[in-house]
């Protein structure tokens, strides 16, 4: 062996150098493997074609957050999910129902956490930029106002619409107050709670509890649009009739909201409630009473769902006969009836509850992802799309926002439409004679 080779082996292949070579070799191999993984990209990628990748991550798959550009965080969801601009108020297809920000729907631990802020921000990123609330919903205005205040740098007041209510402040009849002074004070308090100097819409809340009772309180209210219309105060020539003291109270409250509108505090004035014949009668009364100006907006609930979809027939009456330019509907889940665990206080009859239970079993047997609630929400979105009705949906957390937008997108794009419509028709048949039936309110 030459002297050069002996020297080389002595310096580079000494026994004590072997551990060093081993460590360096492992580091180089590991680094090479890691760099190759980075070059190939993550296993799961968030793209337009895969908008909810977190639903598909397997235990052995890695994830990686990539920043595409400085505006990705704010623009991505809005770019991928284009909400509509419905009616003169340019409302999105989905309106955030913020009644969930109260102890009626969630524990205090949720309300006082960062969940409301994160849920609100996610909704705004999805283009859901209108919020429905009320003083009656407990802490709702306070929590929503706080969340929007936190987000004001990213989403200024001009980027969303606020819709609240006044006149109802509790469960009892004595907790309704439509007096002009209380209406004004209520609006002022809502402004403070929501950290704003104007409100896009203010409704008189649940007007059926205050107005004069006219016509049947429960049953199939499509009769109000038939030759029985006079029984509901909807006959020709009855439009401007004041049926009792409660009707005058409604008119005085509307007049006070109009004054607030003239002052620039309220942009749109409307009424909300459950029985469609009553809402139509009062809308006609407002129109046929000086200054003969129609309501700007009307909100009904629980009449655009699988058990009761009579809003289809009434919507045209509200728009043409009562001349209301903006309509909204709420509660595609029918106040929880179309969920696995409907609330014990629900006013549905025992027969309706049994039908809802059977409908839930049907969707489970058909192995439909999301079950009856998914079918019900999708039905509500479809009817909203067909009738140009924004749908108010309550969100308690980010998962519910993601799921609701997923269903909305499926309806918009016609995904699984044939199977979905088949299930909808089966559910409606299950309700049988109770389909289109409205419970008494009050």
């Amino acid at each position: 062996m030459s002297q050069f080779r002996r020297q080389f082996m002595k310096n580079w292949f000494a026994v004590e150098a072997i551990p060093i070579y081993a460590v360096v070799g492992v580091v180089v191999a590991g680094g090479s493997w890691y760099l190759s993984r980075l070059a190939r990209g993550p296993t799961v990628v968030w793209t337009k074609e895969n908008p909810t990748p977190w639903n598909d991550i397997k235990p052995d798959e890695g994830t990686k957050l990539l920043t595409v550009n400085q505006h990705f965080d704010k623009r991505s969801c809005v770019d991928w999910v284009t909400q509509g601009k419905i009616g003169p108020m340019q409302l999105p297809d989905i309106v955030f129902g913020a009644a969930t920000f109260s102890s009626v729907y969630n524990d205090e631990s949720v309300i006082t956490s960062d969940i409301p802020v994160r849920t609100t921000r996610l909704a705004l990123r999805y283009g859901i930029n209108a919020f429905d609330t009320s003083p009656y919903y407990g802490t709702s205005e306070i929590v929503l106002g706080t969340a929007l205040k936190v987000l004001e740098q990213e989403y200024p007041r001009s980027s969303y619409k606020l819709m609240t209510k006044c006149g109802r402040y509790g469960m009892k009849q004595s907790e309704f107050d439509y007096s002009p002074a209380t209406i004004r004070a209520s609006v002022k308090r809502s402004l403070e709670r929501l950290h704003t100097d104007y409100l896009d819409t203010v409704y008189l809340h649940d007007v059926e509890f205050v107005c004069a009772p006219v016509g049947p309180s429960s049953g199939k209210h499509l009769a109000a649009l038939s030759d029985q219309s006079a029984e509901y105060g909807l006959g020709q020539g009855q439009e401007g009739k004041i049926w009792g003291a409660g009707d005058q109270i409604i008119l005085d409250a509307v007049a006070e909201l109009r004054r607030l509108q003239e002052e620039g505090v309220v942009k749109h004035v409307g009424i909300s409630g459950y029985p469609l014949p009553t809402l139509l009668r009062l809308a006609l009364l407002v129109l046929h009473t000086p200054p003969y100006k129609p309501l700007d907006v009307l909100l009904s609930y629980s009449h655009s769902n699988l058990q009761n979809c009579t809003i289809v027939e009434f919507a045209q009456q509200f728009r043409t006969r009562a001349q209301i330019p903006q309509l909204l509907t709420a509660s595609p889940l029918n106040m929880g009836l179309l969920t696995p665990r409907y609330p014990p206080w629900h006013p549905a009859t025992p027969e309706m509850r049994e039908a809802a239970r059977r409908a839930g079993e049907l969707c489970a047997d058909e192995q439909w992802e999301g079950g009856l609630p998914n079918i019900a929400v999708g039905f509500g979105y479809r009817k909203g799309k067909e009738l140009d009705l924004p749908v108010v949906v309550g969100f308690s957390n980010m998962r519910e926002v993601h799921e609701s937008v997923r269903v909305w997108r499926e309806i918009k794009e016609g995904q699984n439409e044939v199977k979905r419509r088949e299930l909808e028709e089966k559910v409606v048949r299950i309700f049988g004679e109770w389909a289109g039936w409205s419970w008494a309110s009050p």
Side-chain angles (χ1 to χ4, degrees), residues 207-283:
V207 289
E208 68 268 26
F209 287 82
V210 176
C211 70
V214 179
S217 59
S218 64
K220 295 195 174 184
H221 285 165
L222 281 181
L225 303 181
S226 68
D227 55 6
Q228 303 174 42
S229 60
E231 295 181 31
Y232 294 84
L234 294 173
Q236 293 297 323
Q238 295 180 315
E239 293 88 352
K241 182 176 179 179
I242 296 177
W243 293 79
D247 286 359
Q248 187 60 55
I249 292 174
I250 298 287
L251 291 173
D252 292 343
V254 169
E256 184 63 23
L257 286 177
R258 292 291 192 202
R259 283 188 281 271
L260 288 165
Q261 188 177 37
E262 292 171 358
E263 296 168 15
V265 175
V266 175
K267 302 299 182 183
H268 302 90
V269 172
I271 61 175
S272 72
Y274 175 71
L276 296 177
T278 299
L279 292 173
L280 179 57
R281 185 180 72 79
L282 292 175

Side-chain angles (χ1 to χ4, degrees), residues 5-14 16:
R5 187 175 181 183
R6 285 197 300 272
Q7 191 67 25
F8 179 83
M9 295 295 291
K10 178 180 179 181
N11 294 335
W12 294 97
F13 285 92
E16 58 270 20

Side-chain angles (χ1 to χ4, degrees), residues 362-371:
L362 167 69
C363 294
D365 292 342
E366 295 285 345
Q367 297 183 336
W368 183 267
E369 183 180 358

Side-chain angles (χ1 to χ4, degrees), residues 6-254:
R6 285 197 300 272
Q7 191 67 25
F8 179 83
M9 295 295 291
K10 178 180 179 181
N11 294 335
W12 294 97
F13 285 92
V15 174
E16 58 270 20
I18 293 176
I20 298 175
Y21 294 146
V23 171
V24 172
V26 170
V27 170
V28 171
S32 300
W33 173 83
Y34 181 69
L35 289 173
S36 68
R37 284 291 306 273
L38 288 177
R40 290 196 302 269
T43 307
V44 180
V45 182
W46 189 8
T47 67
K48 183 176 181 179
E49 290 71 30
N50 185 26
T52 54
W54 40 84
N55 293 333
D56 304 312
I57 297 174
K58 297 179 176 59
D60 60 341
E61 290 181 336
T63 61
K64 180 171 64 178
L65 180 62
L66 298 177
T67 300
V68 177
N69 59 58
Q70 295 300 317
H71 302 289
F72 175 82
D73 183 63
K74 186 172 179 179
R75 290 170 43 196
S76 58
C77 289
V78 179
D79 287 344
W80 299 346
V81 183
T82 304
Q83 291 282 321
K85 294 182 178 180
I86 303 174
M89 293 177 59
Q90 298 288 279
L91 295 175
D93 298 296
I94 305 173
V95 174
F96 192 126
T100 51
F101 291 164
S102 70
S103 58
V104 175
Y105 293 93
N106 284 293
D107 295 333
E108 185 177 351
S109 60
V110 173
I111 299 170
T112 57
S113 70
D114 65 346
I115 292 176
V117 174
R118 295 167 65 195
T119 304
T120 300
R121 183 173 183 269
L122 178 62
L124 286 165
R125 291 177 63 192
Y126 270 132
I128 302 172
N129 60 356
F131 299 86
D132 177 87
T133 182
S134 171
Y136 174 58
Y137 304 151
T139 57
S140 174
E141 286 186 327
I142 298 171
V143 175
L144 175 62
T146 301
L148 292 171
K149 183 68 174 177
V150 170
L151 299 170
E152 66 179 345
Q153 293 299 316
E154 187 175 3
Y155 295 99
R157 177 65 182 89
S158 59
S159 66
Y160 57 83
K161 294 177 173 64
L162 288 174
M163 316 173 80
T164 191
K165 308 176 185 73
C166 61
R168 182 171 192 177
Y169 308 101
M171 294 289 292
K172 301 177 182 177
Q173 191 76 35
S174 60
E175 294 176 292
F176 284 81
D177 190 345
Y178 276 37
S179 65
T182 300
I183 294 297
R184 181 170 287 269
S186 182
V187 169
K188 180 181 178 181
R189 183 176 63 175
S190 294
L191 291 169
E192 295 171 351
R193 288 176 166 183
L194 294 166
H195 304 286
T196 183
D197 57 2
Y198 71 94
L199 296 164
D200 295 278
T201 296
V202 176
Y203 303 101
L204 295 180
H205 199 171
D206 288 343
V207 289
E208 68 268 26
F209 287 82
V210 176
C211 70
V214 179
S217 59
S218 64
K220 295 195 174 184
H221 285 165
L222 281 181
L225 303 181
S226 68
D227 55 6
Q228 303 174 42
S229 60
E231 295 181 31
Y232 294 84
L234 294 173
Q236 293 297 323
Q238 295 180 315
E239 293 88 352
K241 182 176 179 179
I242 296 177
W243 293 79
D247 286 359
Q248 187 60 55
I249 292 174
I250 298 287
L251 291 173
D252 292 343
V254 169

